[in-house]
């Protein structure tokens, strides 16, 4: 089928058909021409013979003397009143009968198949010159003519065949010259479609050469344009891939056509629930129908999303909808945290400020006059002022840590030296509360990279919390172990412990457990948040293990070497 549909085959068949038709028509015309020419020549000769016989008969009256030589002439029949006067052979007799049967067809008659031969008969009616019906018939055998015609036909057919072969060869040569550049262009076009941009060699300056030049120019333009489109596509894909927002494109039927990686994740979240999927698809179709951009917020699976719908339209035609999805869970959490932060700070500051105001007014109005009562009120004012100062300092510390503007002096320090100072600082308070305090560390110096003051603050907060949640007879233990790359610090107590529902949020800002189970002043809920922030700035981790009623363990793991932050 490929061969038949080929341009080469079509051109070849066209040329052969034209040449064959011309040769056949030419052969027929030539054969007919030669045959007519020979027959006309033969008829002319017969006419001359008949005219000669007529002249002799009319002038010499040979019909009265059958013995004359004229009556014995070959191929001549003289007829008078139903009788053949000339010598008559079987052929003459048959020709005479056939000619008589065809009387009225003209003076020249062609007889076929007379003893296997064809004859041309020329008839001359002399009845007008005699009293009886008289006619002269002169005939000639056409076999020689037919043989000559067959020879001529054979020569014409042979010549036509030779011309056919020559034409075929010439046609293939010509077609090859014409179609090879076209075939090369076709193959090059297929290679171009596959991304192989090769130039063709221009071998002529005719129309095919100009077509090849145009193809090479087009090839270069396509390669340049494809390169630019690919570059722009890759750039767009990289931009979309690294975007924090999900980008999705839907057609009017809410079928997903394109999405980046983030968009796939978010689309999976929306399609994971039937209600979310229906709402999502209905919103896309509604935007496509109304042709107006819209923005909405959606909460799904404890996450918050902002969806921006934009219809893609040209004139009055809407092709689809572009959807930009942004995960605003952290922003919503930050807003909630800010609100809670303001509420908690206000609440924490309100109590000491009310007490400061109340006791100050009592002293100013001389409501309390006894020295010991005055001293007691001044002590309360001092404690509340210290509490406010501590909370303000913690808030400043948190603000600096969040903005990473606080300075950490991380260098090689001896952690055992820090533990010795902590033992000395807390020994009196532990003994006063009836708590057994022990520190288990490695012998000799334990030197690694940390900020001495910040880690001292961490240990102080953890020990303060341990004291607050223990009672007389409980134990507080600090265990220190070391590995080639890290140091593990455990602060363990046998106090009240922490309920499971509080453990997941224990490191959040302003989060407090049941204050009725603590001794002394209540905390602000910022200490453990500061502890976790300091440990994370040291590239470490802090873990909590607690069983309600059995005690709590805080486990800190710090790397011995900290790279640049």
């Amino acid at each position: 089928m490929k061969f038949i549909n080929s341009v080469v085959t079509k051109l070849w068949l066209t040329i052969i058909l034209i040449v064959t038709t011309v040769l056949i028509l030419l052969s027929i015309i030539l054969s007919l021409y030669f045959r007519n020419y020979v027959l006309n020549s033969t008829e002319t000769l017969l006419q001359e013979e008949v005219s000669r016989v007529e002249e002799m008969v009319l002038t010499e009256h040979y019909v009265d003397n059958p013995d004359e030589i004229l009556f014995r002439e070959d191929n001549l029949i003289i007829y008078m009143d139903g009788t053949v006067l000339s010598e008559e052979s079987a052929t003459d007799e048959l020709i005479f009968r056939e000619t008589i049967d065809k009387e009225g067809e003209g003076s020249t008659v062609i007889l076929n198949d007379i003893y296997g031969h064809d004859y041309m008969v020329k008839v001359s009616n002399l009845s007008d010159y005699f009293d009886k019906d008289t006619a002269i018939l002169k005939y000639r055998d056409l076999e020689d003519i037919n043989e000559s015609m067959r020879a001529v036909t054979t020569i014409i057919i042979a010549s036509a065949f030779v011309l056919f072969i020559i034409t075929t060869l010439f046609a293939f040569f010509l077609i090859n010259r014409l179609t090879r550049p076209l075939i090369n262009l076709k193959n090059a076009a297929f290679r171009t479609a596959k991304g192989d941009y090769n130039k063709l060699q221009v071998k002529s300056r005719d129309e095919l050469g100009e077509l090849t030049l145009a193809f090479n120019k087009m090839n270069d333009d396509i390669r340049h344009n494809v390169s630019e489109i690919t570059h722009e596509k890759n750039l767009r894909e990289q931009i979309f891939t690294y975007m924090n927002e999900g980008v999705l494109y839907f057609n009017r039927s809410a079928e997903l056509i394109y999405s980046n990686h983030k968009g796939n994740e978010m689309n999976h979240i929306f399609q994971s629930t039937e209600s979310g999927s229906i709402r999502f698809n209905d919103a896309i179709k509604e935007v496509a129908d109304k042709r107006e951009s819209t923005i909405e917020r959606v909460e799904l699976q404890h996450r918050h999303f902002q969806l921006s719908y934009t219809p893609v339209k040209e004139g009055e035609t809407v092709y689809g909808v572009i959807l930009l999805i942004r995960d605003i869970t952290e922003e919503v959490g930050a807003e909630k945290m800010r609100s809670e932060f303001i509420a908690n700070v206000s609440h924490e500051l309100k109590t000491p400020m009310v007490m400061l105001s109340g006791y100050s007014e009592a002293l100013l109005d001389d409501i309390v006059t006894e020295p010991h009562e005055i001293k007691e009120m001044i002590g309360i004012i001092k404690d509340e002022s210290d509490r406010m100062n501590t909370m303000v300092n913690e808030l400043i510390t948190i603000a600096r840590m969040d903005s990473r503007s606080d300075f950490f002096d991380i260098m090689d320090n001896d952690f055992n030296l820090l533990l010795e100072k902590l033992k000395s600082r807390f020994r009196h308070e532990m003994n006063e509360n009836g708590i057994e305090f022990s520190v288990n560390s490695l012998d000799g110096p334990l030197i690694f990279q940390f900020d001495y003051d910040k880690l001292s603050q961490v240990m102080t907060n953890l020990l303060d919390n341990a004291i607050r949640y223990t009672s007389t007879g409980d134990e507080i233990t600090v265990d220190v172990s070391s590995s080639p790359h890290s140091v593990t610090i455990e602060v363990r107590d046998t106090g009240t412990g922490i309920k499971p529902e509080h453990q997941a949020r224990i490191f959040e800002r302003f989060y407090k457990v049941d204050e009725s189970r603590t001794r002394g002043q209540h905390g602000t809920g910022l200490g453990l948040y500061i502890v976790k922030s300091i440990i994370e700035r040291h590239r470490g981790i802090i873990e909590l293990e607690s069983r309600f009623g059995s005690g709590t363990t805080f486990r800190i793991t710090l790397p011995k070497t900290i790279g640049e932050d």
Side-chain angles (χ1 to χ4, degrees), residues 355 358-383:
M355 294 184 69
Y359 284 114
S360 299
E361 288 178 359
L363 291 174
L364 289 172
D365 295 339
D366 295 328
I367 296 175
V368 178
T369 57
E370 296 296 328
H372 70 279
E373 292 180 350
I374 294 173
K375 186 176 181 180
E376 182 180 354
M377 285 189 177
I378 293 173
I380 293 173
I381 291 173
K382 172 70 167 57
D383 290 340

Side-chain angles (χ1 to χ4, degrees), residues 88-250:
E88 186 178 11
S89 63
T91 302
D92 292 344
E93 183 181 356
L94 185 57
I95 288 175
F96 176 74
R97 286 201 306 270
E98 291 287 337
T99 303
I100 294 300
D101 291 338
K102 292 184 179 182
E103 185 179 3
E105 293 186 2
S107 61
T108 303
V109 179
I110 301 297
L111 301 179
N112 298 318
D113 196 18
I114 303 298
Y115 297 113
H117 288 228
D118 295 337
Y119 291 88
M120 177 182 285
V121 181
K122 191 69 175 178
V123 180
S124 177
N125 191 353
L126 301 178
S127 298
D128 294 337
Y129 302 101
F130 296 94
D131 295 335
K132 300 176 181 179
D133 290 335
T134 304
I136 298 173
L137 284 75
K138 185 69 176 180
Y139 65 89
R140 174 168 288 189
D141 191 349
L142 298 179
E143 184 62 25
D144 293 338
I145 296 174
N146 290 337
E147 287 291 337
S148 299
M149 289 302 302
R150 281 193 288 270
V152 169
T153 302
T154 302
I155 293 172
I156 292 175
I157 293 174
S159 300
F161 179 75
V162 172
L163 288 174
F164 178 82
I165 297 299
I166 294 174
T167 303
T168 300
L169 296 176
F170 174 74
F172 269 113
F173 173 76
L174 179 61
I175 291 169
N176 184 58
R177 294 279 296 179
L178 292 175
T179 58
R180 178 170 293 178
L182 295 177
I183 293 173
N184 292 336
L185 285 170
K186 180 198 74 172
N187 296 332
F190 279 116
R191 289 197 299 270
T192 299
K194 295 177 182 179
D196 184 9
Y197 305 101
N198 290 329
K199 282 189 175 183
L200 294 177
Q201 183 179 358
V202 180
K203 296 182 178 179
S204 62
R205 292 299 176 182
D206 54 8
E207 288 82 357
L208 292 174
E210 292 177 357
L211 179 61
T212 304
L213 286 173
F215 178 83
N216 289 337
K217 177 65 170 59
M218 181 191 70
N219 215 11
D220 290 338
D221 292 342
I222 291 174
R223 176 170 53 188
H224 178 69
N225 293 334
V226 168
S227 177
E228 285 189 350
I229 292 172
T230 303
H231 174 71
E232 291 177 1
K233 179 183 178 182
N234 292 337
L235 180 61
R236 185 180 66 249
E237 289 294 333
Q238 288 182 0
I239 292 173
F240 286 161
T241 299
Y242 291 105
M243 284 178 64
N244 290 326
E245 293 82 6
V247 180
L248 301 98
Y249 173 67
F250 296 87

Side-chain angles (χ1 to χ4, degrees), residues 32 86 414 479 495:
L32 292 175
S86 61
D414 187 355
D479 289 332

Side-chain angles (χ1 to χ4, degrees), residues 480-498:
V480 180
S481 60
S482 176
S483 70
H485 301 289
S486 63
V487 174
T488 302
I489 307 162
E490 290 186 357
V491 179
R492 185 170 57 252
D493 67 66
T494 58
T496 59
I498 303 172

Side-chain angles (χ1 to χ4, degrees), residues 61-99:
H61 297 283
Y62 286 134
V63 291
D64 295 330
N65 187 5
D67 294 330
E68 293 293 334
I69 298 174
L70 180 63
F71 289 87
R72 293 191 294 273
E73 187 175 327
D74 294 332
N75 300 335
L76 177 65
I77 301 173
I78 299 176
Y79 162 79
M80 178 177 283
D81 195 21
T83 304
V84 176
L85 302 180
S86 61
E87 292 185 0
E88 186 178 11
S89 63
T91 302
D92 292 344
E93 183 181 356
L94 185 57
I95 288 175
F96 176 74
R97 286 201 306 270
E98 291 287 337
T99 303

